[in-house]
Amino acid sequence: ETCDFAVMVGAAKAGACLFVGTGARLGGSGARVKEEQCVSFWTGTAALPARGARRQQSRVQVSMIGGIKLPFLGGGGGNEKKLPVRLNAGFAFLAHPEKQTGEDAFFIEGSTVGVFDGVGGAAVNGVDPRLYSQNLALLTMRNVQENGPGAAVKSLIDAAGANQMIGASTACVLGVDPSGRMNGINLGDSGVRIVRDGKLLWRTKEQQHFFNCPYQLGSDSTDSVQMGQNVNQRVRNGDWVIMASDGLYDNVFDRDIVEIVTSMGDSDPTEVAEALGTLAIQHAKDPEYSSPFAEMAAKAGEPHTGGKLDDVTIIALKVTDDQSIEEMTLISVLEEDEAAMAE
C-alpha cells in the first residue's frame, strides 16, 4: 500500500507556518493553502506497512529548507512514554554584608518556588522590611499547599491581598507540573533564567518604574501581581532553572550564569546556587568590576562603578525524570519573625 503526502511551508506574519497532510487529510482545511502562497511545496508517495504487519516509525523523510529533515508522519510510532519530571532543588541565601539577616525571602514547596525581595526603603520609616517579604512568602507557600503547583499565580495574588504587614516587596513565583509545563509570574527585578544544553533558553525581563525602582507589592504600592511578566514555558529532563533576587542579576551577567551552570551540570543544585552566590558577592564587593548594575546605571545617566552590595537569594532547580528525587518543603522565615507576623 502507499499513501500520498504533501508538505507546505507558508509565509505568515507570525513566521513560517508548516502543514503536513497525509492520505485523506490532503483535502482538509490545512491543505487549502494555495501552492503559489507557499515558500515551498512538496508531494510524494510513501510505502505503508502491509496489513497485519507491526507498524513502526517510517524512515521516509522530506528535505526541508536549509537542509532540515522532516520525518514522514505515518500512523505508527514508538511506544516510549516520557517519565514525569521533578525538581531537584538547591538554594543559597547570602545577606547583605552590612546586615545580619537580610530582607529577601523565599520558599520551596515541592515543584513550586518563590523569591521575594523586601524593599529596604521601608526601614527609613522604622519598619522592619523583612516582615512584609517574609509574610508574603509564608502566605504564598500555604496557598500553594492548598491549591497545588498549577495555581502559583493565584496563590501569590491571594497572599498579596491577605498580607497585613507594612512594607513592600518584589515577587517571583513559578510551578512545574509533571509534564514539564512551567507557569508563574515575575513582578519587579528578581527573575528566572532557563539554561538548556549550555545556552540561555529563556529569561524574564526586569520591571522598573525608573532606575533602581522596581515594580513591587506593598502596603503603599499601587502595583499588582497582574502587572508582572507571565512565565509560561516548557522544561524537560536536564534543564536548569535559576530563580534569584536582583542581588545575583545586578552582579553576574547572564553569560557567566550559563557558564557556571553548564560547567557544574552534574553537581548538586545547592552547590550550583552557592557558586553563583559566591561570585555575586565577590563582584558586589569589587569597586572596579564592570557589573550589570553599573551598565544599567550608565544607561540611566546615574554615576556608579563596581558591583552592588545587596542580599543574594538563589534557588537552583535541576529538572529531572529521576523519580527517586525527593522534593522538599522549605521557607526562609525565621521563627521570631513568624511570631512577630502572627501578632
Side-chain angles (χ1 to χ4, degrees), residues 195 198 253-265 276:
V195 179
F253 287 98
D254 284 347
R255 60 177 179 268
D256 297 322
I257 293 174
V258 172
E259 181 179 352
I260 289 176
V261 169
T262 303
S263 65
M264 299 181 67
L276 292 171

Side-chain angles (χ1 to χ4, degrees), residues 103-244:
E103 295 150 2
D104 285 0
F106 71 93
F107 75 84
I108 302 172
E109 177 55 43
S111 58
T112 307
V113 295
V115 167
F116 309 84
D117 183 356
V119 178
V124 177
N125 299 320
V127 175
D128 186 344
R130 294 179 304 165
L131 297 183
Y132 186 90
S133 59
Q134 295 212 6
N135 197 41
L136 187 59
L138 181 62
L139 293 172
T140 304
M141 187 182 78
R142 288 175 177 171
N143 290 341
V144 167
Q145 291 171 340
E146 180 178 346
N147 300 328
V153 177
K154 179 181 184 304
S155 296
L156 174 60
I157 292 173
D158 292 345
N163 193 354
Q164 299 299 312
M165 296 294 107
I166 297 175
S169 175
T170 66
C172 184
V173 296
L174 66 82
V176 177
D177 70 17
S179 73
R181 180 179 292 278
M182 175 190 293
N183 288 292
I185 201 161
N186 178 63
L187 181 80
D189 55 5
S190 294
V192 177
R193 307 292 188 268
I194 302 176
V195 179
R196 175 181 295 170
D197 297 331
K199 298 180 180 179
L200 181 65
L201 179 68
W202 184 82
R203 58 158 288 173
T204 51
K205 296 181 180 179
E206 299 79 11
Q207 294 180 308
Q208 298 186 356
H209 292 288
F210 50 86
F211 176 66
N212 209 27
C213 179
Y215 288 16
Q216 55 199 258
L217 303 172
S219 51
D220 292 325
S221 174
T222 58
D223 296 342
S224 66
V225 175
Q226 291 85 343
M227 294 170 61
Q229 178 187 2
N230 288 321
V231 177
N232 187 7
Q233 301 292 317
R234 274 202 177 274
V235 291
R236 68 189 189 196
N237 182 50
D239 288 351
W240 281 89
V241 180
I242 304 299
M243 175 184 281

Side-chain angles (χ1 to χ4, degrees), residues 5-24:
F5 66 90
V7 179
M8 296 177 284
V9 179
K13 292 182 179 180
C17 59
L18 169 67
F19 171 76
V20 180
T22 63

